[in-house]
């Protein structure tokens, strides 16, 4: 099971994924999403809720996870990305939050490694 605890909803949404096995946390990863803009497609993070997440191979992003049944949205993926400018409503995992490009916004570092470990 994968849970996401969101930390902030400012210029972007920051959170922490926890991976659970047999009711025990076995891994934690950073997450970056777009800000909350009332669930508008392509410019907002998804609403807080419980969603099924399945492994998927995207023609554009390769191996990733697909978030199922998001209200009024489709094609929401957890895929490799470091910056919110690389997202259109999806989520990006990383090993930790860090302002990689020094623009004043937190990004996620080592996204590909994090996704591979999830």
């Amino acid at each position: 099971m994968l849970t996401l605890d969101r930390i902030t909803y400012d210029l972007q949404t920051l959170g922490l994924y926890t991976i659970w096995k047999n009711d025990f946390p076995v891994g934690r990863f950073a997450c970056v999403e777009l800000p909350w803009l009332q669930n508008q497609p392509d410019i907002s993070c998804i609403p807080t809720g419980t969603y099924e997440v399945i492994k998927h191979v995207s023609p554009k992003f390769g191996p990733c996870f697909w978030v199922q049944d998001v209200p009024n949205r489709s094609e929401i993926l957890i895929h490799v990305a470091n910056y919110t400018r690389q997202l259109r409503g999806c989520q990006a995992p990383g090993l930790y939050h860090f302002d990689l490009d020094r623009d004043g916004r937190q990004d996620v570092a080592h996204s590909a490694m994090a996704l591979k470990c999830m």
Side-chain angles (χ1 to χ4, degrees), residues 1-3 18-27 55 117-118:
M1 180 171 67
L2 177 71
T3 59
T18 303
I19 297 173
W20 299 84
K21 299 239 177 168
N22 299 321
D23 296 326
F24 291 99
V26 295
K55 287 185 178 185
C117 293
M118 291 175 74

Side-chain angles (χ1 to χ4, degrees), residues 46-63:
I46 63 174
T48 299
T50 301
Y51 305 102
E52 181 181 359
V53 176
I54 60 172
K55 287 185 178 185
H56 178 66
V57 178
S58 161
K60 182 174 181 179
F61 298 106

Side-chain angles (χ1 to χ4, degrees), residues 82-114:
N82 297 104
Y83 311 101
T84 53
R85 65 179 173 263
Q86 297 172 303
L87 301 172
R88 294 187 62 204
C90 296
Q91 300 175 344
L95 295 185
Y96 53 90
H97 294 111
F98 187 77
D99 185 0
L100 296 172
D101 57 0
R102 298 185 179 146
D103 67 352
R105 295 180 185 199
Q106 294 293 299
D107 311 302
V108 287
H110 306 289
S111 185
M113 186 180 300

Side-chain angles (χ1 to χ4, degrees), residues 34-78:
L34 294 170
W36 173 249
L37 296 171
Q38 288 69 46
N39 197 32
Q40 295 177 69
D42 299 328
I43 63 169
S44 177
C45 65
I46 63 174
T48 299
T50 301
Y51 305 102
E52 181 181 359
V53 176
I54 60 172
K55 287 185 178 185
H56 178 66
V57 178
S58 161
K60 182 174 181 179
F61 298 106
C64 59
F65 294 93
W66 187 357
V67 183
Q68 302 290 294
D69 301 321
V70 177
N72 303 311
R73 302 281 290 277
S74 64
E75 307 298 322
I76 304 298
L77 302 177
I78 300 170

Side-chain angles (χ1 to χ4, degrees), residues 4-18:
L4 173 60
D5 295 308
R6 289 175 168 152
I7 302 166
T8 63
Y9 294 91
D10 194 19
L11 299 173
Q12 77 270 27
T13 302
L14 301 178
L16 294 171
Y17 291 114
T18 303

